[in-house]
Amino acid sequence: MDLMFDVSGLAGEKEEFSTSKKDVLKFLKIIGVDSRFVSYTPDKIYINNLRFSKFSRKRQATFNKQYPEIEVVRSSLFQKICSKSSKHLALEIKPNSLVLMPKDNFIVELIMEPYTRKYGARLVYEGDYDLMVNPLILDDQVNDIFEGIFNGEGLNFNINSNEIYPLINVPLNWINSFLEMDGQKSIENKNKNRLAASFSEFLEDVAPQYKENVVKAAKYIEKKLETEQ
């Protein structure tokens, strides 16, 4: 059962909580929110997983009494994106990893930020690193596969062992729908192969869920070929 928290009794004067990231996260912990399942920005808190974060409406009301200037984003679409991302990231990120981030990629920043608390990952933008974030999206992975087939090159995954792919299971339309809703700039496919794009558009009309099936089929074929060599 949720409770309305009187934080004044826990922390003395209300002014003790500044708007610093450290204090905002501390306050979330005090009111019972698990910050491993939210993404922090100075202006907004994005819920990644409503159930695991325990960020109920009552807790949100308590939070907004202390921080009325910080918006809590309860987007179900963003939660779906995070769920897709976690299926890959949970298998690839090791505790305390140094993760090299791409520059100026808002959606990747949001997705990766909680992993600083989940796994103690450190997000860096230059210098040494253990893993590098590749912002490859599902649509580009599928188009890369089609391009390789149409060019007679075989299956083409372009997957590197020292890279992690937060968006590899996430379709472009999900990403741009969320970015548009949040007032952010949309992104475009990086694979510009016209034949691959046209074939993808055709499949989208006849089988909207085809992308993940294409990737699964291609991975299965690649593994079969590897075992037969």
Side-chain angles (χ1 to χ4, degrees):
M1 180 182 295
D2 283 319
L3 299 174
M4 292 298 289
F5 295 89
D6 181 3
V7 297
S8 61
L10 295 173
E13 294 296 327
K14 186 176 181 179
E15 287 73 21
E16 180 178 338
F17 293 98
S18 71
T19 56
S20 69
K21 179 177 181 178
K22 179 180 178 181
D23 276 6
V24 171
L25 295 176
K26 177 182 177 182
F27 188 82
L28 287 173
K29 182 178 180 180
I30 287 174
I31 65 174
V33 173
D34 191 334
S35 65
R36 295 175 300 173
F37 299 97
V38 302
S39 296
Y40 166 88
T41 73
D43 301 317
K44 297 180 182 180
I45 300 292
Y46 297 81
I47 298 176
N48 297 172
N49 185 305
L50 183 59
R51 177 186 174 190
F52 292 159
S53 71
K54 303 176 184 176
F55 211 150
S56 65
R57 292 285 184 181
K58 289 184 178 180
R59 287 188 169 100
Q60 180 178 340
T62 303
F63 177 79
N64 284 141
K65 282 184 179 180
Q66 179 68 32
Y67 292 105
E69 71 281 8
I70 300 180
E71 179 183 351
V72 177
V73 179
R74 309 176 70 88
S75 167
S76 59
L77 178 55
F78 181 63
Q79 292 178 55
K80 286 171 63 177
I81 291 171
C82 291
S83 176
K84 288 283 188 181
S85 297
S86 68
K87 292 177 181 178
H88 170 78
L89 295 177
L91 298 174
E92 300 298 330
I93 298 180
K94 302 297 187 293
N96 303 313
S97 295
L98 275 174
V99 180
L100 182 64
M101 297 283 286
K103 294 181 179 179
D104 302 321
N105 193 312
F106 178 76
I107 187 72
V108 168
E109 291 278 353
L110 283 187
I111 291 171
M112 293 301 301
E113 195 276 334
Y115 287 86
T116 62
R117 295 180 289 283
K118 285 182 182 178
Y119 296 106
R122 287 181 289 164
L123 309 182
V124 298
Y125 297 85
E126 60 183 4
D128 296 335
Y129 61 89
D130 301 311
L131 297 167
M132 179 170 64
V133 171
N134 185 326
L136 178 71
I137 64 173
L138 177 60
D139 300 61
D140 282 329
Q141 186 187 27
V142 170
N143 285 352
D144 285 348
I145 292 170
F146 288 156
E147 181 180 6
I149 293 172
F150 295 150
N151 290 342
E153 300 168 354
L155 298 176
N156 182 10
F157 282 105
N158 294 323
I159 302 297
N160 297 313
S161 59
N162 70 331
E163 294 183 340
I164 54 176
Y165 301 84
L167 302 175
I168 201 166
N169 296 320
V170 185
L172 180 66
N173 63 330
W174 284 20
I175 296 169
N176 281 340
S177 292
F178 168 71
L179 291 175
E180 181 179 349
M181 177 196 69
D182 201 53
Q184 305 293 331
K185 184 179 179 181
S186 62
I187 64 174
E188 297 180 352
N189 284 346
K190 289 189 176 181
N191 185 306
K192 302 296 184 181
N193 183 276
R194 295 177 65 181
L195 182 57
S198 296
F199 191 57
S200 289
E201 290 175 5
F202 166 74
L203 290 178
E204 188 74 47
D205 290 335
V206 298
Q209 306 300 322
Y210 78 96
K211 293 186 180 76
E212 289 189 2
N213 291 332
V214 167
V215 173
K216 289 177 182 178
K219 287 181 178 178
Y220 175 78
I221 293 170
E222 186 178 54
K223 287 182 179 179
K224 288 286 288 184
L225 292 174
E226 287 176 353
T227 57
E228 292 175 1
Q229 289 179 353

